[in-house]
Amino acid sequence: MSVRVRLAPSPTGKLHIGTARTAIFNWLFARNQKGKFILRIEDTDQERSRPEYTDNILEGLSWLGLEWDEGPFYQCQRLELYQQATQSLLDQELAYRCYCTTAELEEMREAQKARKEAPRYDNRHRNLTVKQQAAFEEEGRQAVIRFKIDDERIITWNDMVRGKVTWKGSDLGGDMVISRAAGGAEVGKPLYNMAVVVDDLDMEITHVIRGEDHIANTAKQILLYEALEGKVPEFGHTPLILNKEGRKLSKRDGVTSISDFKELGFTPEALANYMCLLGWTPPDATEEIFTLAEGGQKFSVERVNKAGAKFDWDKLDWISSQYLHSLPVEQLTDQLIPIWQKAGYELDPESDRSWLEQLAALIRPSLTRLTDAVEMSKLFFFANVELDEDAKIQMQKEDSVQSINCILEMIDADAPLLVSDAQGTIKKITQKVHVKKGVVMRSLRASLTGTIQGPDLIQSWLLLHQKGFDILRFKKSIGQEIEETKKLESTSNKNKDADS
Ligand code: GLU
């Protein structure tokens, strides 16, 4: 039988990193087994489900490159199916109506607590007579439907990740609710475990790969599969994603949704690659950079770790930088343009294309995240640059002032500047002013970029020259504040506003 797996997110929040990682493992397994990856939106909880979360989930999965083969199927459009299955359990007396009120259940729990017992439903309405039921209905009570759980039962399965797992029926909290309250002979909306089992059967799911927080549900679901006379799928429970303190990664840890990671400047390829490694060890553990398709060739659930997977920002950043450093300049530029625009930098994506590509190529080796480009590129978009302390100290030196003066004499504002021109100019200055090349270079950098460290200096100069910013900065750095500078600064006021 061919493999069929599914991702079944509830649209009660944005696509969470844990759900996305579950999606990745299912996707990799499906690709590895030449099976199908099915998407099902579990939206029966109408109060907490929101269409914007569904959109966020679908967008996030597509952005990561996790295309699904079937679906999305929406549970709220399949209610009849669950109600039929529930009715069949009622007909076979495997399920029954429970009329307990919230207050009664609360009282039951309090009494159990007082006796230091684990909270559970005591199955008190399991054997109501028709007359007792009618009396409750006459009182106007609604009934949930509970599925009978045999306390004596031992439930076992061979988990693909964890090996043999055993669960006692008596640890499942008593007969479980499978349908929400409804009046009379009606069957209300299904609860999670019921809808999941009916769907997994209907969709012929062969392997259920999901987070280990679902283990207790698996035990309950196996009982439902049996009651519905369906084939029980294989189960694999993946480890939780932990924060650096070793606790489950939660909203309190800040960034947890895929759209947040996108905002932070991670590419989908890097993020997907990192998530593959969150709890899975590839056969060749030294090969850490791979595409989803390559991951699919090597994936096996057996190599998913049992222990929790610590979320490691340094590793994610390292993977991200690997991707960005090898991204072709054209693609990098495409990705940076919206980021520069969002930062308020003025640019024309078409007429400035060549300059933008040169800028992208210049900063590429220093990028860890795409958003780093905002700070790194700032000095190329604005006419003015403030000198930091080190640059000021550099520019107070006599040799520096002389070097810059000399450059100003030699440079032609209207002629294009080539690498060879720039190098030639530097060489001539060292001869003319008798200063070391290092001094000229440091002065040039301080004057042009306002700092004494940064990307390739000659390339930076070429870019600034194309904008006409170099001569203005040279003059300003040696105290020649001129009208032209002010004019150019005022034309780039818009940029400055965005900057503030
Ligand atoms: N709707 C469940 C959740 O979002 C998925 C459960 C499952 O995979 O069976 O946690």
Side-chain angles (χ1 to χ4, degrees), residues 330-362:
E330 305 75 46
Q331 285 177 34
L332 180 61
T333 310
D334 289 341
Q335 305 221 36
L336 291 179
I337 285 174
I339 290 176
W340 283 321
Q341 285 174 323
K342 195 170 165 213
Y345 299 172
E346 218 168 283
L347 60 90
D348 182 330
E350 274 160 40
S351 60
D352 294 335
R353 181 75 197 187
S354 151
W355 185 83
L356 294 170
E357 284 191 4
Q358 290 170 58
L359 176 57
L362 177 69

PDB file of all heavy atoms in Angstrom, residues 330-362:
ATOM      1  N   GLU A 330      21.714  38.140  -8.766  1.00  0.00           N
ATOM      2  CA  GLU A 330      20.405  38.580  -9.287  1.00  0.00           C
ATOM      3  C   GLU A 330      19.310  38.199  -8.297  1.00  0.00           C
ATOM      4  O   GLU A 330      18.424  38.990  -7.989  1.00  0.00           O
ATOM      5  CB  GLU A 330      20.060  37.933 -10.644  1.00  0.00           C
ATOM      6  CG  GLU A 330      21.098  38.133 -11.749  1.00  0.00           C
ATOM      7  CD  GLU A 330      22.317  37.263 -11.551  1.00  0.00           C
ATOM      8  OE1 GLU A 330      22.146  36.057 -11.254  1.00  0.00           O
ATOM      9  OE2 GLU A 330      23.451  37.771 -11.658  1.00  0.00           O
ATOM     10  N   GLN A 331      19.384  36.959  -7.801  1.00  0.00           N
ATOM     11  CA  GLN A 331      18.344  36.508  -6.858  1.00  0.00           C
ATOM     12  C   GLN A 331      18.426  37.254  -5.535  1.00  0.00           C
ATOM     13  O   GLN A 331      17.410  37.619  -4.944  1.00  0.00           O
ATOM     14  CB  GLN A 331      18.503  35.014  -6.587  1.00  0.00           C
ATOM     15  CG  GLN A 331      18.034  34.152  -7.743  1.00  0.00           C
ATOM     16  CD  GLN A 331      18.278  32.684  -7.442  1.00  0.00           C
ATOM     17  OE1 GLN A 331      18.194  32.239  -6.298  1.00  0.00           O
ATOM     18  NE2 GLN A 331      18.595  31.925  -8.481  1.00  0.00           N
ATOM     19  N   LEU A 332      19.659  37.479  -5.104  1.00  0.00           N
ATOM     20  CA  LEU A 332      19.831  38.202  -3.836  1.00  0.00           C
ATOM     21  C   LEU A 332      19.246  39.611  -3.984  1.00  0.00           C
ATOM     22  O   LEU A 332      18.531  40.094  -3.093  1.00  0.00           O
ATOM     23  CB  LEU A 332      21.312  38.259  -3.459  1.00  0.00           C
ATOM     24  CG  LEU A 332      21.628  38.997  -2.159  1.00  0.00           C
ATOM     25  CD1 LEU A 332      20.956  38.344  -0.960  1.00  0.00           C
ATOM     26  CD2 LEU A 332      23.142  39.064  -1.906  1.00  0.00           C
ATOM     27  N   THR A 333      19.529  40.240  -5.111  1.00  0.00           N
ATOM     28  CA  THR A 333      19.014  41.600  -5.335  1.00  0.00           C
ATOM     29  C   THR A 333      17.481  41.583  -5.309  1.00  0.00           C
ATOM     30  O   THR A 333      16.860  42.439  -4.673  1.00  0.00           O
ATOM     31  CB  THR A 333      19.529  42.149  -6.681  1.00  0.00           C
ATOM     32  OG1 THR A 333      20.942  41.953  -6.722  1.00  0.00           O
ATOM     33  CG2 THR A 333      19.198  43.616  -6.855  1.00  0.00           C
ATOM     34  N   ASP A 334      16.891  40.604  -5.960  1.00  0.00           N
ATOM     35  CA  ASP A 334      15.415  40.499  -5.954  1.00  0.00           C
ATOM     36  C   ASP A 334      14.886  40.427  -4.521  1.00  0.00           C
ATOM     37  O   ASP A 334      13.853  41.007  -4.201  1.00  0.00           O
ATOM     38  CB  ASP A 334      14.962  39.228  -6.693  1.00  0.00           C
ATOM     39  CG  ASP A 334      15.177  39.342  -8.195  1.00  0.00           C
ATOM     40  OD1 ASP A 334      15.326  40.485  -8.680  1.00  0.00           O
ATOM     41  OD2 ASP A 334      15.211  38.293  -8.871  1.00  0.00           O
ATOM     42  N   GLN A 335      15.596  39.686  -3.680  1.00  0.00           N
ATOM     43  CA  GLN A 335      15.122  39.528  -2.301  1.00  0.00           C
ATOM     44  C   GLN A 335      15.385  40.771  -1.453  1.00  0.00           C
ATOM     45  O   GLN A 335      14.664  41.027  -0.485  1.00  0.00           O
ATOM     46  CB  GLN A 335      15.807  38.321  -1.651  1.00  0.00           C
ATOM     47  CG  GLN A 335      15.614  37.063  -2.465  1.00  0.00           C
ATOM     48  CD  GLN A 335      15.330  35.862  -1.588  1.00  0.00           C
ATOM     49  OE1 GLN A 335      14.655  35.981  -0.566  1.00  0.00           O
ATOM     50  NE2 GLN A 335      15.818  34.707  -1.982  1.00  0.00           N
ATOM     51  N   LEU A 336      16.448  41.513  -1.825  1.00  0.00           N
ATOM     52  CA  LEU A 336      16.794  42.676  -1.001  1.00  0.00           C
ATOM     53  C   LEU A 336      15.964  43.913  -1.339  1.00  0.00           C
ATOM     54  O   LEU A 336      15.709  44.744  -0.474  1.00  0.00           O
ATOM     55  CB  LEU A 336      18.287  43.000  -1.136  1.00  0.00           C
ATOM     56  CG  LEU A 336      19.241  41.976  -0.508  1.00  0.00           C
ATOM     57  CD1 LEU A 336      20.684  42.396  -0.719  1.00  0.00           C
ATOM     58  CD2 LEU A 336      18.977  41.817   0.984  1.00  0.00           C
ATOM     59  N   ILE A 337      15.537  44.020  -2.594  1.00  0.00           N
ATOM     60  CA  ILE A 337      14.799  45.228  -3.009  1.00  0.00           C
ATOM     61  C   ILE A 337      13.612  45.521  -2.071  1.00  0.00           C
ATOM     62  O   ILE A 337      13.514  46.623  -1.534  1.00  0.00           O
ATOM     63  CB  ILE A 337      14.391  45.153  -4.498  1.00  0.00           C
ATOM     64  CG1 ILE A 337      15.640  45.403  -5.357  1.00  0.00           C
ATOM     65  CG2 ILE A 337      13.300  46.180  -4.840  1.00  0.00           C
ATOM     66  CD1 ILE A 337      15.457  45.216  -6.848  1.00  0.00           C
ATOM     67  N   PRO A 338      12.725  44.540  -1.805  1.00  0.00           N
ATOM     68  CA  PRO A 338      11.620  44.870  -0.892  1.00  0.00           C
ATOM     69  C   PRO A 338      12.085  45.236   0.514  1.00  0.00           C
ATOM     70  O   PRO A 338      11.444  46.036   1.203  1.00  0.00           O
ATOM     71  CB  PRO A 338      10.768  43.594  -0.873  1.00  0.00           C
ATOM     72  CG  PRO A 338      11.550  42.547  -1.570  1.00  0.00           C
ATOM     73  CD  PRO A 338      12.618  43.204  -2.379  1.00  0.00           C
ATOM     74  N   ILE A 339      13.200  44.660   0.930  1.00  0.00           N
ATOM     75  CA  ILE A 339      13.705  44.969   2.277  1.00  0.00           C
ATOM     76  C   ILE A 339      14.241  46.396   2.320  1.00  0.00           C
ATOM     77  O   ILE A 339      13.982  47.139   3.259  1.00  0.00           O
ATOM     78  CB  ILE A 339      14.770  43.923   2.679  1.00  0.00           C
ATOM     79  CG1 ILE A 339      14.053  42.588   2.917  1.00  0.00           C
ATOM     80  CG2 ILE A 339      15.574  44.353   3.895  1.00  0.00           C
ATOM     81  CD1 ILE A 339      14.925  41.429   3.231  1.00  0.00           C
ATOM     82  N   TRP A 340      14.969  46.793   1.277  1.00  0.00           N
ATOM     83  CA  TRP A 340      15.463  48.178   1.216  1.00  0.00           C
ATOM     84  C   TRP A 340      14.283  49.141   1.132  1.00  0.00           C
ATOM     85  O   TRP A 340      14.268  50.183   1.776  1.00  0.00           O
ATOM     86  CB  TRP A 340      16.353  48.371  -0.020  1.00  0.00           C
ATOM     87  CG  TRP A 340      17.740  47.801   0.113  1.00  0.00           C
ATOM     88  CD1 TRP A 340      18.533  47.818   1.231  1.00  0.00           C
ATOM     89  CD2 TRP A 340      18.507  47.149  -0.913  1.00  0.00           C
ATOM     90  NE1 TRP A 340      19.743  47.220   0.958  1.00  0.00           N
ATOM     91  CE2 TRP A 340      19.758  46.796  -0.349  1.00  0.00           C
ATOM     92  CE3 TRP A 340      18.263  46.819  -2.248  1.00  0.00           C
ATOM     93  CZ2 TRP A 340      20.750  46.155  -1.073  1.00  0.00           C
ATOM     94  CZ3 TRP A 340      19.255  46.183  -2.970  1.00  0.00           C
ATOM     95  CH2 TRP A 340      20.479  45.839  -2.387  1.00  0.00           C
ATOM     96  N   GLN A 341      13.296  48.751   0.317  1.00  0.00           N
ATOM     97  CA  GLN A 341      12.128  49.642   0.166  1.00  0.00           C
ATOM     98  C   GLN A 341      11.403  49.795   1.493  1.00  0.00           C
ATOM     99  O   GLN A 341      10.999  50.882   1.878  1.00  0.00           O
ATOM    100  CB  GLN A 341      11.180  49.107  -0.911  1.00  0.00           C
ATOM    101  CG  GLN A 341      11.741  49.349  -2.310  1.00  0.00           C
ATOM    102  CD  GLN A 341      10.908  48.710  -3.399  1.00  0.00           C
ATOM    103  OE1 GLN A 341      10.370  47.621  -3.230  1.00  0.00           O
ATOM    104  NE2 GLN A 341      10.806  49.392  -4.541  1.00  0.00           N
ATOM    105  N   LYS A 342      11.250  48.664   2.189  1.00  0.00           N
ATOM    106  CA  LYS A 342      10.549  48.708   3.473  1.00  0.00           C
ATOM    107  C   LYS A 342      11.293  49.604   4.477  1.00  0.00           C
ATOM    108  O   LYS A 342      10.670  50.262   5.313  1.00  0.00           O
ATOM    109  CB  LYS A 342      10.427  47.285   4.026  1.00  0.00           C
ATOM    110  CG  LYS A 342       9.424  47.179   5.138  1.00  0.00           C
ATOM    111  CD  LYS A 342       9.138  45.744   5.506  1.00  0.00           C
ATOM    112  CE  LYS A 342       8.425  45.700   6.838  1.00  0.00           C
ATOM    113  NZ  LYS A 342       8.760  44.537   7.622  1.00  0.00           N
ATOM    114  N   ALA A 343      12.611  49.623   4.351  1.00  0.00           N
ATOM    115  CA  ALA A 343      13.409  50.464   5.252  1.00  0.00           C
ATOM    116  C   ALA A 343      13.306  51.940   4.865  1.00  0.00           C
ATOM    117  O   ALA A 343      13.834  52.799   5.560  1.00  0.00           O
ATOM    118  CB  ALA A 343      14.862  50.017   5.219  1.00  0.00           C
ATOM    119  N   GLY A 344      12.643  52.210   3.728  1.00  0.00           N
ATOM    120  CA  GLY A 344      12.460  53.602   3.313  1.00  0.00           C
ATOM    121  C   GLY A 344      13.571  54.128   2.422  1.00  0.00           C
ATOM    122  O   GLY A 344      13.648  55.321   2.158  1.00  0.00           O
ATOM    123  N   TYR A 345      14.446  53.253   1.941  1.00  0.00           N
ATOM    124  CA  TYR A 345      15.537  53.698   1.063  1.00  0.00           C
ATOM    125  C   TYR A 345      14.970  53.951  -0.331  1.00  0.00           C
ATOM    126  O   TYR A 345      14.257  53.104  -0.873  1.00  0.00           O
ATOM    127  CB  TYR A 345      16.651  52.647   0.990  1.00  0.00           C
ATOM    128  CG  TYR A 345      17.323  52.331   2.317  1.00  0.00           C
ATOM    129  CD1 TYR A 345      18.226  51.288   2.433  1.00  0.00           C
ATOM    130  CD2 TYR A 345      17.048  53.092   3.457  1.00  0.00           C
ATOM    131  CE1 TYR A 345      18.841  50.994   3.643  1.00  0.00           C
ATOM    132  CE2 TYR A 345      17.658  52.815   4.666  1.00  0.00           C
ATOM    133  CZ  TYR A 345      18.547  51.755   4.760  1.00  0.00           C
ATOM    134  OH  TYR A 345      19.148  51.464   5.954  1.00  0.00           O
ATOM    135  N   GLU A 346      15.381  55.080  -0.875  1.00  0.00           N
ATOM    136  CA  GLU A 346      14.820  55.434  -2.176  1.00  0.00           C
ATOM    137  C   GLU A 346      15.556  54.688  -3.282  1.00  0.00           C
ATOM    138  O   GLU A 346      16.788  54.745  -3.365  1.00  0.00           O
ATOM    139  CB  GLU A 346      14.949  56.926  -2.389  1.00  0.00           C
ATOM    140  CG  GLU A 346      13.732  57.467  -3.100  1.00  0.00           C
ATOM    141  CD  GLU A 346      13.726  58.960  -3.048  1.00  0.00           C
ATOM    142  OE1 GLU A 346      13.380  59.491  -1.976  1.00  0.00           O
ATOM    143  OE2 GLU A 346      14.095  59.561  -4.048  1.00  0.00           O
ATOM    144  N   LEU A 347      14.815  54.020  -4.126  1.00  0.00           N
ATOM    145  CA  LEU A 347      15.449  53.295  -5.236  1.00  0.00           C
ATOM    146  C   LEU A 347      14.426  53.054  -6.321  1.00  0.00           C
ATOM    147  O   LEU A 347      13.225  52.996  -6.059  1.00  0.00           O
ATOM    148  CB  LEU A 347      16.036  51.968  -4.746  1.00  0.00           C
ATOM    149  CG  LEU A 347      15.100  50.940  -4.123  1.00  0.00           C
ATOM    150  CD1 LEU A 347      14.528  49.997  -5.172  1.00  0.00           C
ATOM    151  CD2 LEU A 347      15.855  50.109  -3.099  1.00  0.00           C
ATOM    152  N   ASP A 348      14.949  52.921  -7.533  1.00  0.00           N
ATOM    153  CA  ASP A 348      14.092  52.530  -8.647  1.00  0.00           C
ATOM    154  C   ASP A 348      14.537  51.130  -9.067  1.00  0.00           C
ATOM    155  O   ASP A 348      15.645  50.964  -9.586  1.00  0.00           O
ATOM    156  CB  ASP A 348      14.251  53.529  -9.798  1.00  0.00           C
ATOM    157  CG  ASP A 348      13.338  53.179 -10.962  1.00  0.00           C
ATOM    158  OD1 ASP A 348      13.054  51.967 -11.152  1.00  0.00           O
ATOM    159  OD2 ASP A 348      12.922  54.092 -11.675  1.00  0.00           O
ATOM    160  N   PRO A 349      13.687  50.137  -8.839  1.00  0.00           N
ATOM    161  CA  PRO A 349      14.126  48.753  -9.063  1.00  0.00           C
ATOM    162  C   PRO A 349      14.638  48.522 -10.485  1.00  0.00           C
ATOM    163  O   PRO A 349      15.488  47.663 -10.704  1.00  0.00           O
ATOM    164  CB  PRO A 349      12.864  47.928  -8.820  1.00  0.00           C
ATOM    165  CG  PRO A 349      11.971  48.800  -8.028  1.00  0.00           C
ATOM    166  CD  PRO A 349      12.310  50.216  -8.373  1.00  0.00           C
ATOM    167  N   GLU A 350      14.155  49.326 -11.442  1.00  0.00           N
ATOM    168  CA  GLU A 350      14.613  49.093 -12.822  1.00  0.00           C
ATOM    169  C   GLU A 350      15.845  49.915 -13.188  1.00  0.00           C
ATOM    170  O   GLU A 350      16.875  49.359 -13.551  1.00  0.00           O
ATOM    171  CB  GLU A 350      13.474  49.358 -13.797  1.00  0.00           C
ATOM    172  CG  GLU A 350      12.633  48.107 -13.954  1.00  0.00           C
ATOM    173  CD  GLU A 350      11.259  48.365 -14.483  1.00  0.00           C
ATOM    174  OE1 GLU A 350      11.138  49.206 -15.387  1.00  0.00           O
ATOM    175  OE2 GLU A 350      10.313  47.729 -13.969  1.00  0.00           O
ATOM    176  N   SER A 351      15.708  51.246 -13.070  1.00  0.00           N
ATOM    177  CA  SER A 351      16.850  52.051 -13.535  1.00  0.00           C
ATOM    178  C   SER A 351      18.074  51.906 -12.620  1.00  0.00           C
ATOM    179  O   SER A 351      19.201  52.091 -13.058  1.00  0.00           O
ATOM    180  CB  SER A 351      16.444  53.513 -13.696  1.00  0.00           C
ATOM    181  OG  SER A 351      16.019  54.010 -12.457  1.00  0.00           O
ATOM    182  N   ASP A 352      17.863  51.566 -11.362  1.00  0.00           N
ATOM    183  CA  ASP A 352      19.015  51.403 -10.444  1.00  0.00           C
ATOM    184  C   ASP A 352      19.516  49.958 -10.397  1.00  0.00           C
ATOM    185  O   ASP A 352      20.383  49.634  -9.582  1.00  0.00           O
ATOM    186  CB  ASP A 352      18.613  51.797  -9.007  1.00  0.00           C
ATOM    187  CG  ASP A 352      18.290  53.259  -8.877  1.00  0.00           C
ATOM    188  OD1 ASP A 352      18.802  54.051  -9.697  1.00  0.00           O
ATOM    189  OD2 ASP A 352      17.521  53.627  -7.962  1.00  0.00           O
ATOM    190  N   ARG A 353      18.951  49.112 -11.209  1.00  0.00           N
ATOM    191  CA  ARG A 353      19.230  47.676 -11.087  1.00  0.00           C
ATOM    192  C   ARG A 353      20.733  47.339 -11.011  1.00  0.00           C
ATOM    193  O   ARG A 353      21.153  46.595 -10.135  1.00  0.00           O
ATOM    194  CB  ARG A 353      18.586  46.937 -12.270  1.00  0.00           C
ATOM    195  CG  ARG A 353      18.768  45.428 -12.272  1.00  0.00           C
ATOM    196  CD  ARG A 353      17.872  44.762 -11.249  1.00  0.00           C
ATOM    197  NE  ARG A 353      18.312  43.401 -10.962  1.00  0.00           N
ATOM    198  CZ  ARG A 353      17.642  42.542 -10.218  1.00  0.00           C
ATOM    199  NH1 ARG A 353      16.505  42.895  -9.665  1.00  0.00           N
ATOM    200  NH2 ARG A 353      18.097  41.350  -9.984  1.00  0.00           N
ATOM    201  N   SER A 354      21.488  47.907 -11.938  1.00  0.00           N
ATOM    202  CA  SER A 354      22.900  47.533 -11.975  1.00  0.00           C
ATOM    203  C   SER A 354      23.603  47.976 -10.676  1.00  0.00           C
ATOM    204  O   SER A 354      24.374  47.205 -10.084  1.00  0.00           O
ATOM    205  CB  SER A 354      23.537  48.162 -13.213  1.00  0.00           C
ATOM    206  OG  SER A 354      24.869  48.407 -12.996  1.00  0.00           O
ATOM    207  N   TRP A 355      23.282  49.192 -10.221  1.00  0.00           N
ATOM    208  CA  TRP A 355      23.887  49.683  -8.979  1.00  0.00           C
ATOM    209  C   TRP A 355      23.455  48.809  -7.788  1.00  0.00           C
ATOM    210  O   TRP A 355      24.260  48.449  -6.927  1.00  0.00           O
ATOM    211  CB  TRP A 355      23.447  51.147  -8.772  1.00  0.00           C
ATOM    212  CG  TRP A 355      24.080  51.811  -7.591  1.00  0.00           C
ATOM    213  CD1 TRP A 355      25.309  52.391  -7.536  1.00  0.00           C
ATOM    214  CD2 TRP A 355      23.522  51.964  -6.278  1.00  0.00           C
ATOM    215  NE1 TRP A 355      25.561  52.896  -6.290  1.00  0.00           N
ATOM    216  CE2 TRP A 355      24.474  52.654  -5.491  1.00  0.00           C
ATOM    217  CE3 TRP A 355      22.304  51.591  -5.688  1.00  0.00           C
ATOM    218  CZ2 TRP A 355      24.248  52.973  -4.153  1.00  0.00           C
ATOM    219  CZ3 TRP A 355      22.092  51.910  -4.350  1.00  0.00           C
ATOM    220  CH2 TRP A 355      23.056  52.592  -3.595  1.00  0.00           C
ATOM    221  N   LEU A 356      22.182  48.420  -7.780  1.00  0.00           N
ATOM    222  CA  LEU A 356      21.673  47.588  -6.674  1.00  0.00           C
ATOM    223  C   LEU A 356      22.348  46.217  -6.666  1.00  0.00           C
ATOM    224  O   LEU A 356      22.660  45.671  -5.609  1.00  0.00           O
ATOM    225  CB  LEU A 356      20.149  47.432  -6.785  1.00  0.00           C
ATOM    226  CG  LEU A 356      19.323  48.712  -6.590  1.00  0.00           C
ATOM    227  CD1 LEU A 356      17.868  48.484  -6.968  1.00  0.00           C
ATOM    228  CD2 LEU A 356      19.430  49.226  -5.148  1.00  0.00           C
ATOM    229  N   GLU A 357      22.590  45.706  -7.867  1.00  0.00           N
ATOM    230  CA  GLU A 357      23.269  44.396  -7.932  1.00  0.00           C
ATOM    231  C   GLU A 357      24.700  44.509  -7.421  1.00  0.00           C
ATOM    232  O   GLU A 357      25.203  43.615  -6.743  1.00  0.00           O
ATOM    233  CB  GLU A 357      23.238  43.845  -9.360  1.00  0.00           C
ATOM    234  CG  GLU A 357      21.869  43.298  -9.724  1.00  0.00           C
ATOM    235  CD  GLU A 357      21.852  42.500 -11.027  1.00  0.00           C
ATOM    236  OE1 GLU A 357      22.912  42.296 -11.639  1.00  0.00           O
ATOM    237  OE2 GLU A 357      20.740  42.076 -11.426  1.00  0.00           O
ATOM    238  N   GLN A 358      25.344  45.608  -7.763  1.00  0.00           N
ATOM    239  CA  GLN A 358      26.719  45.799  -7.260  1.00  0.00           C
ATOM    240  C   GLN A 358      26.711  45.908  -5.737  1.00  0.00           C
ATOM    241  O   GLN A 358      27.589  45.374  -5.063  1.00  0.00           O
ATOM    242  CB  GLN A 358      27.326  47.074  -7.850  1.00  0.00           C
ATOM    243  CG  GLN A 358      27.626  46.984  -9.337  1.00  0.00           C
ATOM    244  CD  GLN A 358      28.003  48.366  -9.883  1.00  0.00           C
ATOM    245  OE1 GLN A 358      28.945  48.987  -9.428  1.00  0.00           O
ATOM    246  NE2 GLN A 358      27.242  48.847 -10.849  1.00  0.00           N
ATOM    247  N   LEU A 359      25.704  46.590  -5.221  1.00  0.00           N
ATOM    248  CA  LEU A 359      25.597  46.728  -3.763  1.00  0.00           C
ATOM    249  C   LEU A 359      25.332  45.365  -3.108  1.00  0.00           C
ATOM    250  O   LEU A 359      25.957  45.010  -2.105  1.00  0.00           O
ATOM    251  CB  LEU A 359      24.471  47.723  -3.423  1.00  0.00           C
ATOM    252  CG  LEU A 359      24.153  47.922  -1.947  1.00  0.00           C
ATOM    253  CD1 LEU A 359      25.392  48.364  -1.168  1.00  0.00           C
ATOM    254  CD2 LEU A 359      23.032  48.949  -1.758  1.00  0.00           C
ATOM    255  N   ALA A 360      24.436  44.599  -3.725  1.00  0.00           N
ATOM    256  CA  ALA A 360      24.128  43.261  -3.194  1.00  0.00           C
ATOM    257  C   ALA A 360      25.384  42.398  -3.187  1.00  0.00           C
ATOM    258  O   ALA A 360      25.675  41.703  -2.198  1.00  0.00           O
ATOM    259  CB  ALA A 360      23.021  42.610  -4.017  1.00  0.00           C
ATOM    260  N   ALA A 361      26.156  42.472  -4.284  1.00  0.00           N
ATOM    261  CA  ALA A 361      27.387  41.668  -4.371  1.00  0.00           C
ATOM    262  C   ALA A 361      28.382  42.110  -3.300  1.00  0.00           C
ATOM    263  O   ALA A 361      29.085  41.289  -2.717  1.00  0.00           O
ATOM    264  CB  ALA A 361      27.999  41.803  -5.759  1.00  0.00           C
ATOM    265  N   LEU A 362      28.402  43.402  -3.035  1.00  0.00           N
ATOM    266  CA  LEU A 362      29.357  43.942  -2.054  1.00  0.00           C
ATOM    267  C   LEU A 362      29.066  43.446  -0.637  1.00  0.00           C
ATOM    268  O   LEU A 362      29.970  43.044   0.094  1.00  0.00           O
ATOM    269  CB  LEU A 362      29.290  45.478  -2.096  1.00  0.00           C
ATOM    270  CG  LEU A 362      30.171  46.212  -1.089  1.00  0.00           C
ATOM    271  CD1 LEU A 362      31.653  46.045  -1.439  1.00  0.00           C
ATOM    272  CD2 LEU A 362      29.815  47.683  -1.035  1.00  0.00           C
TER     273      LEU A 362
END
